[in-house]
Amino acid sequence: MVRVSRLAERGAGRLPGVVVALTLVFLYTPVLVIGYLSLSPAGQPTIPIDGLSLRWYTAVLTDSRFVRALFTSLGIGIVTAFGGTMLGLAGAYAIVRSPLTRTVRRSIAVVIALPLFVPTVVVAFGIGRASALVGFGYGYLPVVLGHLFWVLPFTTFLIAARYGELDDRLSAAARDLGADNRTVFVTVTVPLLWPALMASVLFAFALSFNEFLITFFLAGSGVTTVPLEIFGKVRIGATAFLNAASVLVIVVSAVAAGVASTLRRPV
Amino acid sequence: MHALAVDGLHKSFDGDPAVDDISLTVPQGEFFSLIGPSGCGKTTTLRMLAGLLTPDAGRVMLNGEDVTDRPARERETNTVFQDLVLFPHMTVAENVGYGLARSGVTDPERGQRVDDALALVKLAGFGDRDPADLSGGQRQRVALARALVNDPTVLLLDEPLASLDRTLRDEMQAEFRRIQRDSDTTFLYVTHDQESAMSMSDTVAVMRDGRIVNAGPPRQLYTDPQTQFVASFLGDATLLDGEVTRHAGPDVVVKTDAGPLRADADAASYAVGDTVTVAVRPEAVTLGGGGLTGTVVDIAYKGFYEEAAVDCNGTELVVRRERNTAATPENATSADGGTGVPFRVGETVTLGVDRAILVENERR
Amino acid sequence: MSVADTPGRVRDWLIAGSPVLLALALGVFPLVTLFVESIGPGLGGENYAEVLSPLYRGALLYSIGVGVGVTAVCLAVAYPITYWIAHRCPDRYRLVALVAVTLPLWLNYVVLNYAWVWILARGGVVNRILVGSGVLDSSLDLLYNNVSMGIGFVYIYLPYVVLTMYVSMERLDYRLITAARDLGASDYRVFLDIVLPRTLPGAAAATLIVYARIAGAFATPEILGSPGNIMIARLVVQAFRQYTNYGFAAALSFVFLLLVLGSLALGALSPRVRRELRQW
Ligand SMILES: Nc1ncnc2c1ncn2[C@@H]1O[C@H](COP(=O)(O)OP(=O)(O)OP(=O)(O)O)[C@@H](O)[C@H]1O
Ligand SMILES: [Mg+2]
């Protein structure tokens, strides 16, 4: 019935469809353009490019600075992905399932959501100053902590959404059949949350891998991530090297996104 | 020794008592039903027996052992939940084997016992299916097998048939009874459906507002309910207030608005002049010959019998009669005493009441 | 305690504790630090006086203005998109469409903004096409102005807005629209009377998520914006980088934070939004 009326009623004319089409063009043109330009053999590509070559990919992947930055980003991304998901699971439990009072759970949600409505530059600056003042200084530890803080609202609310749908009586049934709390968690809760947990790991990885501003404030001189490296080069000028590096960065995140899109919720 | 003995169980939620002093005993191998209207505390009671909820007061004993302070996983009870709650991420066999795995039963034995349990509920060969791919009745059986396979001392069932349609429900009821006998397990069955409880159980306990008001074999509860609530909850009954006018031996005569009625006093003793309440079941009312006269005010066809509401002096009594399909109002002379002649609204009939039941009146 | 009510309270506090501790240590403590620094030695308040001088007032207002403007554009575009995906898209393609418009969420915004340089630059894609096809005689300056920066912002934040609004839009019962139309409402009235009120919670949530980040953005204005239009983030970064005048940068951050929260609160306080938010 709803379907029929949906097809029969074409309100608002073609406008929404046109907007969607234009948006897709808008969203994907830059990606295609950068991919196209990355194949230019010239160091300063012109449009159209004069020939096809992968030499800038070779250049990027043999550039020790870039490769080091890539490994740094991957490392921080992986630590953040798993750490952020674990913390997010704890946060989700606290918000949706724990017997804490409603007010307490609300407050926890607000505190966790902080990075969303406080401007990033303010938090980043604040963390930088606080870190310097308590003697943490700059480097890997502050960066990882900053990233964990930044991904926490995303992982928490992603997992909480699924956790909230989870039937409380399933764990009662498991306990009735002889499972202790840990076993209930391992055999019932985690398997049912699995897709959400995986999505959280992947999204947290992508967020961390692409994070720029917090890293900018906390990295100090010793740590360089890919976004920092690229940003530094962008200010100097657009080059073929940068195009190839950009494409590689996009590929890494797109792989994470691709894996995430294959995740299915059980049942 | 009793498989289950409960003594003085209490539970309040925010000061409102949900279960208020429940005591009961269930012998090994019995099919025991706990029935009562929605919200009377059945599920709450069951959850306390399962160890999923802590009672405010009272003891729970399983096979003579006090288990009140043991959590669910350490109790030899298993539950078939009100909405089944099968694990959606496990196959049928994994669902059924879950409890065995928790108590450390390992594979050849576990697989064997799972297969046996599935065979018992007539689901042999369904082990690899997803619960989501089963029909309602099949899912019901899986839930039953999942609980039964652990050989619980008492199997707790919380309205397991409520979500099924009537035909399936009747079929599953017979199955439950068979499985209960075959497995020789003690069943504690919770429902608000008095009909199914009456047909399956060895013992029925009727609950109201967190208390058990009457317990006993179904026949006894039906024929000799202790209170007017039980009388009307288990089947149809007309309740009449009256005054004892004679008390001779086991017999009491009660004067009601409808006329004098005879009732069994049992052991209780009444004095002439006491105000009492009696319940009259439709089967006890006969057409013709009795001392009551009334007017038919409503008729209802109920398949093979016909039911008439008869107004006797302001009180409605229900009388039933088998229907003769050949008879029609045209060839009928009178409903009174005749066989198989349809009732007609407005006609005057005479009624006899074999036996009324003296009940306690909670309203007073 | 009791057998059945395990998990116990203590354990729950511990579990809740780890994320909360992180959020407090990195969210609240730094803000307190900033506040202390902004007051400066001796409770002078000079930092705040300087922040409110016309020079910085301009940057503050410009940042807020960019935040409001870009958020509004994102919402305006997200409405038809989510409407189409939720109510017009064939069921089979709905997920694909949703993934397609939200995929850039996963990509690096520095890189994505950089890609726009190649499109808008004098020798970039747009100018080459316009000049090459004879529409224009010479290239236009499309880069490094408010428009190019706005495009960069919308590009990054539109997917967030779409994803958040989609939840509301999907919940909107299409039969309401049919009913309104049956009663003679025009598209415009349908939008105003049905779509807008029913999806306001989603729009509010989307605003909450992107507004503060746009107003406080650093990379996009640096890559695509005009060097002359200064947003707050650049001032803070400069102060931080040059190891000077932390107190002033802290005061600036604080005033900015209050402005952002204040403007969010202003929106949230309007009774209509409040009423709608309760549904969330
Ligand atoms: N967790 C709870 N918190 C507060 N009140 C509760 C809780 N569980 C049950 N109650 C209340 O206790 C009373 C008994 O509930 P219970 O679920 O035991 O009823 P029931 O007999 O199983 O009813 P039904 O036949 O509808 O399943 C009800 O008034 C109910 O509202
Ligand atoms: Mg119940």
Side-chain angles (χ1 to χ4, degrees):
Chain A
M1 240 216 47
V2 177
R3 258 204 76 81
V4 173
S5 65
R6 218 174 243 171
L7 292 175
E9 274 287 348
R10 297 228 141 245
R14 300 196 167 282
L15 179 76
V18 171
V19 174
V20 171
L22 288 178
T23 303
L24 289 176
V25 173
F26 174 68
L27 289 179
Y28 288 97
T29 304
V31 178
L32 295 176
V33 165
I34 204 87
Y36 168 73
L37 291 172
S38 71
L39 298 172
S40 157
Q44 276 297 327
T46 49
I47 300 170
I49 57 176
D50 41 11
L52 292 177
S53 134
L54 290 177
R55 58 178 283 232
W56 292 108
Y57 285 96
T58 324
V60 170
L61 290 175
T62 51
D63 182 85
S64 65
R65 276 183 65 90
F66 183 84
V67 172
R68 185 145 27 87
L70 188 63
F71 277 113
T72 305
S73 279
L74 289 174
I76 294 173
I78 288 168
V79 172
T80 306
F82 288 99
T85 299
M86 252 137 68
L87 289 170
L89 179 57
Y93 171 79
I95 293 171
V96 241
R97 272 300 143 81
S98 69
L100 304 174
T101 65
R102 210 177 147 75
T103 326
V104 171
R105 289 183 293 154
R106 276 260 173 93
S107 321
I108 292 176
V110 169
V111 170
I112 286 177
L114 214 64
L116 291 181
F117 54 81
V118 174
T120 317
V121 65
V122 176
V123 220
F125 178 48
I127 297 175
R129 290 302 301 140
S131 173
L133 287 179
V134 298
F136 264 27
Y138 305 107
Y140 282 104
L141 187 62
V143 168
V144 169
L145 286 176
H147 280 203
L148 283 174
F149 169 69
W150 166 236
V151 303
L152 190 59
F154 295 93
T155 57
T156 302
F157 295 121
L158 198 71
I159 298 170
R162 181 82 183 111
Y163 216 144
E165 288 172 12
L166 217 99
D167 193 340
D168 210 8
R169 291 166 307 180
L170 284 170
S171 58
R175 278 186 283 139
D176 182 65
L177 292 166
D180 55 22
N181 286 328
R182 211 183 62 86
T183 315
V184 173
F185 185 74
V186 173
T187 59
V188 177
T189 313
V190 169
L192 289 172
L193 287 180
W194 196 246
L197 293 175
M198 286 308 292
S200 161
V201 165
L202 290 163
F203 195 56
F205 173 80
L207 283 174
S208 161
F209 187 76
N210 296 323
E211 207 293 320
F212 167 72
L213 198 53
I214 293 178
T215 323
F216 189 76
F217 274 92
L218 299 180
S221 52
V223 180
T224 307
T225 63
V226 172
L228 285 190
E229 179 74 15
I230 289 181
F231 183 76
K233 287 202 159 71
V234 168
R235 302 182 109 184
I236 298 165
T239 61
F241 181 91
L242 208 44
N243 294 345
S246 299
V247 172
L248 287 173
V249 172
I250 289 178
V251 167
V252 173
S253 341
V255 167
V259 175
S261 70
T262 64
L263 292 175
R264 292 240 241 107
R265 47 171 28 216
V267 193
Chain B
M1 194 198 310
H2 293 297
L4 173 69
V6 175
D7 187 32
L9 221 49
H10 275 275
K11 182 75 192 179
S12 297
F13 294 110
D14 310 318
D16 283 339
V19 167
D20 190 8
D21 195 16
I22 290 233
S23 301
L24 52 88
T25 51
V26 185
Q28 147 66 27
E30 188 170 87
F31 197 122
F32 187 101
S33 288
L34 197 56
I35 69 177
S38 189
C40 72
K42 305 181 296 288
T43 299
T44 308
T45 306
L46 213 63
R47 287 171 60 83
M48 288 191 281
L49 301 185
L52 294 167
L53 192 68
T54 315
D56 296 340
R59 313 303 310 168
V60 179
M61 321 268 280
L62 283 176
N63 276 341
E65 204 181 338
D66 190 333
V67 297
T68 317
D69 295 320
R70 283 201 216 151
R73 71 192 145 90
E74 289 168 19
R75 286 192 196 190
E76 299 207 322
T77 53
N78 285 110
T79 309
V80 179
F81 289 87
Q82 195 156 2
D83 304 293
L84 307 187
V85 283
L86 299 177
F87 301 122
H89 57 297
M90 300 182 193
T91 63
V92 166
E94 284 166 348
N95 263 285
V96 176
Y98 188 87
L100 293 176
R102 299 289 79 77
S103 47
V105 179
T106 51
D107 229 338
E109 190 197 338
R110 184 163 79 213
Q112 190 53 50
R113 283 175 68 177
V114 168
D115 286 348
D116 291 349
L118 285 176
L120 183 69
V121 298
K122 297 195 176 148
L123 280 179
F126 279 69
D128 293 332
R129 299 268 200 108
D130 252 4
D133 298 339
L134 301 181
S135 72
Q138 288 169 336
R139 251 177 287 194
Q140 193 59 66
R141 288 161 209 256
V142 175
L144 185 58
R146 181 176 72 174
L148 262 183
V149 74
N150 308 296
D151 267 336
T153 304
V154 180
L155 184 72
L156 307 167
L157 301 102
D158 192 358
E159 309 209 23
L161 302 179
S163 58
L164 302 183
D165 65 48
R166 197 188 165 97
T167 328
L168 200 51
R169 195 161 64 217
D170 291 346
E171 193 182 309
M172 287 301 298
Q173 268 173 31
E175 281 287 277
F176 275 24
R177 192 62 179 139
R178 173 185 69 77
I179 291 166
Q180 190 263 337
R181 282 204 204 95
D182 290 359
S183 61
D184 193 30
T185 308
T186 310
F187 272 38
L188 196 151
Y189 190 95
V190 157
T191 181
H192 60 237
D193 175 6
Q194 42 94 12
E195 232 175 87
S196 64
M198 300 285 274
S199 66
M200 286 192 285
S201 321
D202 299 314
T203 305
V204 173
V206 181
M207 267 185 86
R208 186 194 195 192
D209 295 340
R211 294 163 174 273
I212 291 180
V213 288
N214 204 174
R219 181 179 300 275
Q220 183 199 323
L221 284 194
Y222 186 80
T223 56
D224 190 17
Q226 271 175 20
T227 72
Q228 55 93 15
F229 168 76
V230 177
S232 47
F233 189 71
L234 299 176
D236 299 321
T238 305
L239 297 163
L240 303 104
D241 292 334
E243 194 187 302
V244 176
T245 54
R246 217 179 69 200
H247 189 354
D251 268 14
V252 181
V253 173
V254 179
K255 190 180 131 235
T256 68
D257 289 348
L261 298 174
R262 206 160 46 83
D264 282 336
D266 291 328
S269 72
Y270 296 90
V272 170
D274 279 358
T275 308
V276 293
T277 302
V278 292
V280 177
R281 298 254 183 236
E283 308 87 272
V285 182
T286 52
L287 264 178
L292 310 178
T293 312
T295 315
V296 175
V297 289
D298 197 12
I299 31 187
Y301 297 99
K302 303 257 171 157
F304 66 92
Y305 68 90
E306 191 183 15
E307 205 173 80
V310 179
D311 184 331
C312 302
N313 240 336
T315 308
E316 271 182 28
L317 287 176
V318 175
V319 58
R320 286 184 185 154
R321 183 176 51 184
E322 259 181 55
R323 247 181 101 204
N324 180 343
T325 42
T328 64
E330 283 68 45
N331 62 24
T333 48
S334 158
D336 209 338
T339 49
V341 184
F343 292 114
R344 269 172 302 183
V345 172
E347 78 177 299
T348 305
V349 293
T350 57
L351 302 173
V353 174
D354 285 351
R355 186 148 296 255
I357 310 158
L358 275 163
V359 293
E360 275 170 45
N361 189 340
E362 298 102 325
R363 288 171 304 182
R364 278 207 291 263
Chain C
M1 282 231 6
S2 63
V3 286
D5 297 342
T6 48
R9 245 160 192 279
V10 178
R11 216 197 48 175
D12 280 307
W13 277 106
L14 286 179
I15 290 178
S18 51
V20 170
L21 200 68
L22 181 79
L24 289 177
L26 280 85
V28 177
F29 175 62
L31 292 183
V32 174
T33 310
L34 283 190
F35 184 66
V36 171
E37 286 210 323
S38 73
I39 298 171
L43 294 172
E46 305 97 15
N47 290 328
Y48 283 96
E50 194 179 349
V51 166
L52 296 177
S53 71
L55 175 63
Y56 298 113
R57 223 161 40 202
L60 283 167
L61 291 182
Y62 180 64
S63 299
I64 296 290
V66 170
V68 172
V70 173
T71 305
V73 173
C74 285
L75 287 174
V77 181
Y79 261 101
I81 293 178
T82 51
Y83 175 78
W84 187 85
I85 296 177
H87 298 297
R88 291 289 257 319
C89 179
D91 293 347
R92 222 166 349 140
Y93 301 118
R94 183 160 305 128
L95 189 64
V96 180
L98 195 63
V99 169
V101 289
T102 53
L103 182 73
L105 213 94
W106 293 73
L107 307 182
N108 187 310
Y109 60 87
V110 174
V111 165
L112 294 176
N113 279 161
Y114 163 69
W116 277 99
V117 172
W118 280 104
I119 296 176
L120 299 175
R122 281 196 144 262
V125 177
V126 172
N127 273 318
R128 296 294 297 189
I129 290 174
L130 291 180
V131 174
S133 62
V135 177
L136 289 179
D137 293 334
S138 63
S139 296
L140 293 173
D141 272 326
L142 300 173
L143 209 49
Y144 309 127
N145 52 41
N146 279 338
V147 175
S148 59
M149 183 176 76
I151 288 176
F153 272 130
V154 172
Y155 190 88
I156 295 164
Y157 292 107
L158 182 62
Y160 283 95
V161 175
V162 166
L163 196 61
T164 318
M165 281 216 23
Y166 178 73
V167 180
S168 271
M169 193 60 94
E170 196 192 20
R171 250 184 252 165
L172 169 72
D173 188 345
Y174 192 80
R175 286 169 303 184
L176 290 178
I177 298 178
T178 318
R181 207 162 271 139
D182 182 56
L183 295 169
S186 62
D187 285 340
Y188 174 70
R189 293 286 352 159
V190 167
F191 180 76
L192 227 57
D193 297 342
I194 311 283
V195 181
L196 198 60
R198 307 295 297 171
T199 53
L200 214 53
T207 305
L208 193 67
I209 288 179
V210 301
Y211 167 68
R213 288 161 63 193
I214 294 168
F218 174 66
T220 303
E222 290 294 307
I223 299 172
L224 294 170
S226 150
N229 290 333
I230 299 168
M231 286 181 70
I232 288 303
R234 187 195 294 171
L235 296 174
V236 176
V237 167
Q238 270 169 9
F240 182 76
R241 281 256 141 153
Q242 291 152 10
Y243 304 102
T244 55
N245 225 349
Y246 287 141
F248 166 69
L252 191 62
S253 300
F254 231 82
V255 172
F256 179 56
L257 175 64
L258 291 182
L259 275 178
V260 166
L261 294 182
S263 48
L264 280 175
L266 210 65
L269 279 181
S270 97
R272 183 172 180 151
V273 175
R274 263 244 301 251
R275 181 154 37 86
E276 300 295 339
L277 273 178
R278 238 172 266 141
Q279 299 175 7
W280 252 61

